[in-house]
């Protein structure tokens, strides 16, 4: 019994809250006799998911592929840009204002232009995802690179450490937690970018499935697709957290004693 109470007060709190909300949702739809094309009950959503699971998972695969490809492109670009900016301050002064300005424009406004230039398909989806997801990685990585202990930096300078040694043994270890913070934020933005691209022009993917379900008054299918999308986003976020916990790196103070001139 104590174990159950501990579970309910800890990890089980979210599960119990979700179960209570689903029960209220089911009771409200049935008790108030809400039309199912406006708001399906959870039981209707489950039944729709079971009935059309092959269709839903088929579209989900396309969305996940677009998310992963766009996310990888965003991370590679963001890390390369951050390393260039920390190595050459002039590069930061040149391109960081452009990055900030680009983020002030809603991506829903430029997505149609991307579709016009590239055309509907995987390429446009990847570019939309990358354009949304790269910014938090850049900002957090730069913050990590700059949060170096000044005393350790002076030690590296005193032993004539090269720029490469300073980066690999000091800046990068300090920046790793910041980088993963940016990566976790970027996961949610990558999911958003994929859905935006699929809403505008796509013939597959979860975003397309949500729209088609709404147009055909099959709201239960739309809800099933949205719930699966939430699961994908949470899984992606959790995977990045697990990767961060699994990776280990040496402390900068330990590395500083091993710098070679």
């Amino acid at each position: 019994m104590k174990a159950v109470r501990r579970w309910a007060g800890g990890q089980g709190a979210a599960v119990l809250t979700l179960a209570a909300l689903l029960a209220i949702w089911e009771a409200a739809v049935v008790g108030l006799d809400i039309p199912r094309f406006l708001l399906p009950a959870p039981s209707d959503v489950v039944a729709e998911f079971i009935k059309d699971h092959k269709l839903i998972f088929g579209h989900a695969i396309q969305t996940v592929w677009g998310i992963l490809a766009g996310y990888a492109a965003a991370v590679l670009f963001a890390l390369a840009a951050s390393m260039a900016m920390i190595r050459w301050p002039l590069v930061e002064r040149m391109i960081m204002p452009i990055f900030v300005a680009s983020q002030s424009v809603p991506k829903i406004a430029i997505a149609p232009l991307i579709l016009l230039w590239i055309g509907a398909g995987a390429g446009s989806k990847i570019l939309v995802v990358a354009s949304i997801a790269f910014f938090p990685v850049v900002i957090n990585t730069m913050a990590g690179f700059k949060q170096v202990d000044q005393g350790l930096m002076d030690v590296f300078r005193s032993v004539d450490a090269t720029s490469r040694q300073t980066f690999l043994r000091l800046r990068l270890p300090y920046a790793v937690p910041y980088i993963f913070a940016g990566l976790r934020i970027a996961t949610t933005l990558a999911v958003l970018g994929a859905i935006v691209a699929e809403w505008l022009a796509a013939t597959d993917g979860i975003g397309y499935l949500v729209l088609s379900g709404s147009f055909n008054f099959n709201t239960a299918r739309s809800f099933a697709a949205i719930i699966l999308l939430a699961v994908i986003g949470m899984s992606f976020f959790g995977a990045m957290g697990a990767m961060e916990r699994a990776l280990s790196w040496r402390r900068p103070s330990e590395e500083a004693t091993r710098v070679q001139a």
Side-chain angles (χ1 to χ4, degrees):
M1 197 64 183
K2 292 182 179 180
V4 174
R5 285 198 295 268
R6 285 197 300 269
W7 177 81
Q11 296 178 346
V15 176
L16 294 175
T17 301
L18 179 60
L21 291 175
L22 291 175
I24 295 172
W25 178 5
E26 182 81 25
V29 172
V30 175
L32 299 176
D33 197 22
I34 299 175
R36 301 306 169 88
F37 70 89
L38 290 179
L39 181 63
S43 56
D44 298 325
V45 177
V46 172
E48 180 67 28
F49 188 86
I50 294 174
K51 184 182 71 173
D52 289 335
H53 66 278
K54 291 184 178 180
L55 174 68
I56 296 172
F57 276 114
H59 284 277
I61 291 173
Q62 298 301 318
T63 298
V64 170
W65 184 89
I67 291 172
L68 293 177
Y71 183 81
V75 170
L76 291 175
F77 174 74
L79 294 180
S82 298
M83 288 187 288
M85 287 189 289
I86 201 65
R87 177 64 179 84
W88 298 288
L90 177 61
V91 175
E92 180 181 6
R93 292 194 294 271
M94 291 172 58
I95 66 176
M96 183 58 81
I98 298 175
F99 289 163
V100 175
S102 69
Q103 292 305 299
S104 65
V105 179
K107 293 302 179 289
I108 192 69
I110 64 173
L113 295 176
I114 294 176
L115 293 172
L116 177 64
W117 296 331
I118 299 181
S124 60
K125 184 188 299 186
I126 293 171
L127 186 56
V128 171
V129 171
S131 66
I132 292 178
F134 87 94
F135 189 68
V137 182
V138 168
I139 292 298
N140 281 273
T141 301
M142 288 300 296
F145 284 157
K146 294 179 179 180
Q147 291 297 321
V148 177
D149 184 86
Q150 191 57 45
L152 289 176
M153 183 63 76
D154 292 338
V155 171
F156 272 67
R157 292 196 184 103
S158 68
V159 296
D160 291 330
T162 64
S163 298
R164 182 173 179 272
Q165 289 174 327
T166 302
F167 177 79
L168 294 177
R169 297 173 179 267
L170 183 61
R171 289 194 187 275
L172 187 58
Y174 262 95
V176 166
Y178 292 84
I179 293 173
F180 272 101
L183 292 177
R184 290 196 302 272
I185 297 172
T187 57
T188 58
L189 295 179
V191 174
L192 173 63
I195 298 304
V196 167
E198 290 171 356
W199 276 349
L200 291 176
T203 57
D204 53 29
I206 292 181
Y208 168 79
L209 198 63
V210 171
L211 286 182
S212 64
S214 300
F215 292 153
N216 295 317
F217 298 100
N218 190 349
T219 315
R221 179 182 293 176
S222 296
F223 269 91
I226 291 171
I227 291 171
L228 181 57
L229 180 65
V231 172
I232 292 171
M234 292 174 61
S235 301
F236 198 7
F237 186 89
M240 294 308 303
M243 185 182 298
E244 179 181 10
R245 291 189 297 271
L247 291 177
S248 62
W249 54 89
R250 295 174 180 172
R251 294 180 181 178
S253 59
E254 296 173 351
E255 288 291 344
T257 62
R258 299 182 175 88
V259 177
Q260 299 177 358

PDB file of all heavy atoms in Angstrom, residues 181-205:
ATOM      1  N   ALA A 181      20.532  21.090 -23.719  1.00  0.00           N
ATOM      2  CA  ALA A 181      19.340  21.891 -23.427  1.00  0.00           C
ATOM      3  C   ALA A 181      18.734  22.427 -24.721  1.00  0.00           C
ATOM      4  O   ALA A 181      17.515  22.395 -24.921  1.00  0.00           O
ATOM      5  CB  ALA A 181      19.692  23.040 -22.486  1.00  0.00           C
ATOM      6  N   GLY A 182      19.598  22.920 -25.615  1.00  0.00           N
ATOM      7  CA  GLY A 182      19.114  23.378 -26.909  1.00  0.00           C
ATOM      8  C   GLY A 182      18.543  22.255 -27.751  1.00  0.00           C
ATOM      9  O   GLY A 182      17.535  22.428 -28.442  1.00  0.00           O
ATOM     10  N   LEU A 183      19.170  21.085 -27.686  1.00  0.00           N
ATOM     11  CA  LEU A 183      18.680  19.935 -28.450  1.00  0.00           C
ATOM     12  C   LEU A 183      17.293  19.515 -27.982  1.00  0.00           C
ATOM     13  O   LEU A 183      16.434  19.146 -28.789  1.00  0.00           O
ATOM     14  CB  LEU A 183      19.654  18.767 -28.327  1.00  0.00           C
ATOM     15  CG  LEU A 183      21.026  18.940 -28.988  1.00  0.00           C
ATOM     16  CD1 LEU A 183      21.907  17.737 -28.714  1.00  0.00           C
ATOM     17  CD2 LEU A 183      20.887  19.162 -30.483  1.00  0.00           C
ATOM     18  N   ARG A 184      17.054  19.561 -26.666  1.00  0.00           N
ATOM     19  CA  ARG A 184      15.733  19.185 -26.151  1.00  0.00           C
ATOM     20  C   ARG A 184      14.665  20.170 -26.596  1.00  0.00           C
ATOM     21  O   ARG A 184      13.552  19.779 -26.965  1.00  0.00           O
ATOM     22  CB  ARG A 184      15.770  19.080 -24.626  1.00  0.00           C
ATOM     23  CG  ARG A 184      16.566  17.895 -24.109  1.00  0.00           C
ATOM     24  CD  ARG A 184      16.246  17.627 -22.655  1.00  0.00           C
ATOM     25  NE  ARG A 184      16.516  18.778 -21.814  1.00  0.00           N
ATOM     26  CZ  ARG A 184      17.689  19.032 -21.247  1.00  0.00           C
ATOM     27  NH1 ARG A 184      18.699  18.189 -21.445  1.00  0.00           N
ATOM     28  NH2 ARG A 184      17.871  20.080 -20.486  1.00  0.00           N
ATOM     29  N   ILE A 185      14.989  21.455 -26.561  1.00  0.00           N
ATOM     30  CA  ILE A 185      14.026  22.456 -27.033  1.00  0.00           C
ATOM     31  C   ILE A 185      13.755  22.266 -28.514  1.00  0.00           C
ATOM     32  O   ILE A 185      12.618  22.368 -28.990  1.00  0.00           O
ATOM     33  CB  ILE A 185      14.554  23.874 -26.755  1.00  0.00           C
ATOM     34  CG1 ILE A 185      14.693  24.106 -25.248  1.00  0.00           C
ATOM     35  CG2 ILE A 185      13.637  24.927 -27.364  1.00  0.00           C
ATOM     36  CD1 ILE A 185      15.376  25.407 -24.891  1.00  0.00           C
ATOM     37  N   ALA A 186      14.808  21.969 -29.272  1.00  0.00           N
ATOM     38  CA  ALA A 186      14.665  21.822 -30.723  1.00  0.00           C
ATOM     39  C   ALA A 186      13.795  20.627 -31.099  1.00  0.00           C
ATOM     40  O   ALA A 186      13.203  20.617 -32.180  1.00  0.00           O
ATOM     41  CB  ALA A 186      16.047  21.689 -31.367  1.00  0.00           C
ATOM     42  N   THR A 187      13.713  19.603 -30.232  1.00  0.00           N
ATOM     43  CA  THR A 187      12.879  18.451 -30.571  1.00  0.00           C
ATOM     44  C   THR A 187      11.420  18.853 -30.742  1.00  0.00           C
ATOM     45  O   THR A 187      10.757  18.429 -31.686  1.00  0.00           O
ATOM     46  CB  THR A 187      12.991  17.364 -29.488  1.00  0.00           C
ATOM     47  OG1 THR A 187      12.624  17.911 -28.216  1.00  0.00           O
ATOM     48  CG2 THR A 187      14.393  16.808 -29.416  1.00  0.00           C
ATOM     49  N   THR A 188      10.915  19.671 -29.817  1.00  0.00           N
ATOM     50  CA  THR A 188       9.513  20.093 -29.916  1.00  0.00           C
ATOM     51  C   THR A 188       9.298  20.998 -31.124  1.00  0.00           C
ATOM     52  O   THR A 188       8.260  20.914 -31.785  1.00  0.00           O
ATOM     53  CB  THR A 188       9.090  20.822 -28.633  1.00  0.00           C
ATOM     54  OG1 THR A 188       9.941  21.958 -28.414  1.00  0.00           O
ATOM     55  CG2 THR A 188       9.205  19.902 -27.433  1.00  0.00           C
ATOM     56  N   LEU A 189      10.273  21.852 -31.416  1.00  0.00           N
ATOM     57  CA  LEU A 189      10.144  22.736 -32.574  1.00  0.00           C
ATOM     58  C   LEU A 189      10.224  21.952 -33.878  1.00  0.00           C
ATOM     59  O   LEU A 189       9.583  22.325 -34.869  1.00  0.00           O
ATOM     60  CB  LEU A 189      11.232  23.806 -32.528  1.00  0.00           C
ATOM     61  CG  LEU A 189      11.153  24.782 -31.356  1.00  0.00           C
ATOM     62  CD1 LEU A 189      12.300  25.779 -31.405  1.00  0.00           C
ATOM     63  CD2 LEU A 189       9.816  25.515 -31.344  1.00  0.00           C
ATOM     64  N   ALA A 190      10.997  20.877 -33.891  1.00  0.00           N
ATOM     65  CA  ALA A 190      11.084  20.052 -35.096  1.00  0.00           C
ATOM     66  C   ALA A 190       9.737  19.406 -35.405  1.00  0.00           C
ATOM     67  O   ALA A 190       9.318  19.330 -36.567  1.00  0.00           O
ATOM     68  CB  ALA A 190      12.164  18.986 -34.927  1.00  0.00           C
ATOM     69  N   VAL A 191       9.046  18.929 -34.375  1.00  0.00           N
ATOM     70  CA  VAL A 191       7.716  18.355 -34.569  1.00  0.00           C
ATOM     71  C   VAL A 191       6.763  19.416 -35.111  1.00  0.00           C
ATOM     72  O   VAL A 191       5.992  19.163 -36.052  1.00  0.00           O
ATOM     73  CB  VAL A 191       7.189  17.777 -33.249  1.00  0.00           C
ATOM     74  CG1 VAL A 191       5.746  17.305 -33.402  1.00  0.00           C
ATOM     75  CG2 VAL A 191       8.068  16.622 -32.785  1.00  0.00           C
ATOM     76  N   LEU A 192       6.829  20.608 -34.546  1.00  0.00           N
ATOM     77  CA  LEU A 192       5.981  21.706 -35.020  1.00  0.00           C
ATOM     78  C   LEU A 192       6.267  22.023 -36.481  1.00  0.00           C
ATOM     79  O   LEU A 192       5.339  22.222 -37.277  1.00  0.00           O
ATOM     80  CB  LEU A 192       6.224  22.946 -34.151  1.00  0.00           C
ATOM     81  CG  LEU A 192       5.541  24.244 -34.598  1.00  0.00           C
ATOM     82  CD1 LEU A 192       4.030  24.086 -34.560  1.00  0.00           C
ATOM     83  CD2 LEU A 192       5.980  25.404 -33.722  1.00  0.00           C
ATOM     84  N   GLY A 193       7.556  22.073 -36.851  1.00  0.00           N
ATOM     85  CA  GLY A 193       7.906  22.395 -38.227  1.00  0.00           C
ATOM     86  C   GLY A 193       7.391  21.374 -39.216  1.00  0.00           C
ATOM     87  O   GLY A 193       6.918  21.727 -40.300  1.00  0.00           O
ATOM     88  N   ALA A 194       7.462  20.105 -38.850  1.00  0.00           N
ATOM     89  CA  ALA A 194       6.971  19.056 -39.747  1.00  0.00           C
ATOM     90  C   ALA A 194       5.473  19.192 -39.968  1.00  0.00           C
ATOM     91  O   ALA A 194       4.978  19.046 -41.097  1.00  0.00           O
ATOM     92  CB  ALA A 194       7.303  17.680 -39.173  1.00  0.00           C
ATOM     93  N   ILE A 195       4.723  19.489 -38.927  1.00  0.00           N
ATOM     94  CA  ILE A 195       3.270  19.625 -39.059  1.00  0.00           C
ATOM     95  C   ILE A 195       2.919  20.853 -39.890  1.00  0.00           C
ATOM     96  O   ILE A 195       1.990  20.813 -40.708  1.00  0.00           O
ATOM     97  CB  ILE A 195       2.618  19.696 -37.671  1.00  0.00           C
ATOM     98  CG1 ILE A 195       2.900  18.409 -36.909  1.00  0.00           C
ATOM     99  CG2 ILE A 195       1.126  19.922 -37.782  1.00  0.00           C
ATOM    100  CD1 ILE A 195       2.466  17.146 -37.625  1.00  0.00           C
ATOM    101  N   VAL A 196       3.647  21.950 -39.685  1.00  0.00           N
ATOM    102  CA  VAL A 196       3.395  23.150 -40.492  1.00  0.00           C
ATOM    103  C   VAL A 196       3.593  22.846 -41.972  1.00  0.00           C
ATOM    104  O   VAL A 196       2.770  23.222 -42.819  1.00  0.00           O
ATOM    105  CB  VAL A 196       4.328  24.296 -40.048  1.00  0.00           C
ATOM    106  CG1 VAL A 196       4.315  25.437 -41.061  1.00  0.00           C
ATOM    107  CG2 VAL A 196       3.904  24.816 -38.684  1.00  0.00           C
ATOM    108  N   ALA A 197       4.671  22.161 -42.300  1.00  0.00           N
ATOM    109  CA  ALA A 197       4.942  21.820 -43.701  1.00  0.00           C
ATOM    110  C   ALA A 197       3.856  20.907 -44.258  1.00  0.00           C
ATOM    111  O   ALA A 197       3.430  21.067 -45.418  1.00  0.00           O
ATOM    112  CB  ALA A 197       6.310  21.157 -43.821  1.00  0.00           C
ATOM    113  N   GLU A 198       3.373  19.957 -43.465  1.00  0.00           N
ATOM    114  CA  GLU A 198       2.350  19.024 -43.942  1.00  0.00           C
ATOM    115  C   GLU A 198       0.990  19.691 -44.065  1.00  0.00           C
ATOM    116  O   GLU A 198       0.176  19.291 -44.901  1.00  0.00           O
ATOM    117  CB  GLU A 198       2.277  17.822 -42.999  1.00  0.00           C
ATOM    118  CG  GLU A 198       3.505  16.932 -43.083  1.00  0.00           C
ATOM    119  CD  GLU A 198       3.541  15.856 -42.011  1.00  0.00           C
ATOM    120  OE1 GLU A 198       2.637  15.854 -41.141  1.00  0.00           O
ATOM    121  OE2 GLU A 198       4.456  15.014 -42.037  1.00  0.00           O
ATOM    122  N   TRP A 199       0.734  20.691 -43.262  1.00  0.00           N
ATOM    123  CA  TRP A 199      -0.526  21.414 -43.385  1.00  0.00           C
ATOM    124  C   TRP A 199      -0.588  22.214 -44.680  1.00  0.00           C
ATOM    125  O   TRP A 199      -1.645  22.330 -45.302  1.00  0.00           O
ATOM    126  CB  TRP A 199      -0.696  22.359 -42.204  1.00  0.00           C
ATOM    127  CG  TRP A 199      -1.273  21.694 -40.987  1.00  0.00           C
ATOM    128  CD1 TRP A 199      -1.823  20.443 -40.917  1.00  0.00           C
ATOM    129  CD2 TRP A 199      -1.338  22.235 -39.671  1.00  0.00           C
ATOM    130  NE1 TRP A 199      -2.221  20.174 -39.643  1.00  0.00           N
ATOM    131  CE2 TRP A 199      -1.947  21.249 -38.853  1.00  0.00           C
ATOM    132  CE3 TRP A 199      -0.960  23.441 -39.106  1.00  0.00           C
ATOM    133  CZ2 TRP A 199      -2.177  21.449 -37.496  1.00  0.00           C
ATOM    134  CZ3 TRP A 199      -1.190  23.639 -37.752  1.00  0.00           C
ATOM    135  CH2 TRP A 199      -1.787  22.662 -36.959  1.00  0.00           C
ATOM    136  N   LEU A 200       0.538  22.784 -45.063  1.00  0.00           N
ATOM    137  CA  LEU A 200       0.534  23.676 -46.216  1.00  0.00           C
ATOM    138  C   LEU A 200       0.422  22.915 -47.531  1.00  0.00           C
ATOM    139  O   LEU A 200      -0.354  23.296 -48.407  1.00  0.00           O
ATOM    140  CB  LEU A 200       1.803  24.532 -46.210  1.00  0.00           C
ATOM    141  CG  LEU A 200       1.875  25.566 -45.085  1.00  0.00           C
ATOM    142  CD1 LEU A 200       3.214  26.279 -45.117  1.00  0.00           C
ATOM    143  CD2 LEU A 200       0.736  26.573 -45.192  1.00  0.00           C
ATOM    144  N   ALA A 201       1.193  21.880 -47.678  1.00  0.00           N
ATOM    145  CA  ALA A 201       1.156  21.136 -48.947  1.00  0.00           C
ATOM    146  C   ALA A 201       1.794  19.776 -48.745  1.00  0.00           C
ATOM    147  O   ALA A 201       3.015  19.653 -48.703  1.00  0.00           O
ATOM    148  CB  ALA A 201       1.889  21.906 -50.056  1.00  0.00           C
ATOM    149  N   ALA A 202       0.958  18.775 -48.568  1.00  0.00           N
ATOM    150  CA  ALA A 202       1.469  17.412 -48.415  1.00  0.00           C
ATOM    151  C   ALA A 202       0.349  16.435 -48.719  1.00  0.00           C
ATOM    152  O   ALA A 202      -0.837  16.753 -48.600  1.00  0.00           O
ATOM    153  CB  ALA A 202       1.999  17.190 -46.999  1.00  0.00           C
ATOM    154  N   THR A 203       0.737  15.266 -49.129  1.00  0.00           N
ATOM    155  CA  THR A 203      -0.232  14.200 -49.381  1.00  0.00           C
ATOM    156  C   THR A 203      -0.031  13.035 -48.424  1.00  0.00           C
ATOM    157  O   THR A 203      -0.621  11.983 -48.607  1.00  0.00           O
ATOM    158  CB  THR A 203      -0.112  13.697 -50.827  1.00  0.00           C
ATOM    159  OG1 THR A 203       1.228  13.251 -51.069  1.00  0.00           O
ATOM    160  CG2 THR A 203      -0.466  14.808 -51.811  1.00  0.00           C
ATOM    161  N   ASP A 204       0.834  13.242 -47.425  1.00  0.00           N
ATOM    162  CA  ASP A 204       1.046  12.225 -46.410  1.00  0.00           C
ATOM    163  C   ASP A 204       1.517  12.903 -45.137  1.00  0.00           C
ATOM    164  O   ASP A 204       1.779  14.102 -45.108  1.00  0.00           O
ATOM    165  CB  ASP A 204       2.056  11.170 -46.870  1.00  0.00           C
ATOM    166  CG  ASP A 204       3.367  11.775 -47.334  1.00  0.00           C
ATOM    167  OD1 ASP A 204       3.735  12.862 -46.826  1.00  0.00           O
ATOM    168  OD2 ASP A 204       4.045  11.193 -48.191  1.00  0.00           O
ATOM    169  N   GLY A 205       1.616  12.134 -44.071  1.00  0.00           N
ATOM    170  CA  GLY A 205       2.054  12.673 -42.798  1.00  0.00           C
ATOM    171  C   GLY A 205       0.884  12.900 -41.850  1.00  0.00           C
ATOM    172  O   GLY A 205      -0.287  12.951 -42.256  1.00  0.00           O
TER     173      GLY A 205
END
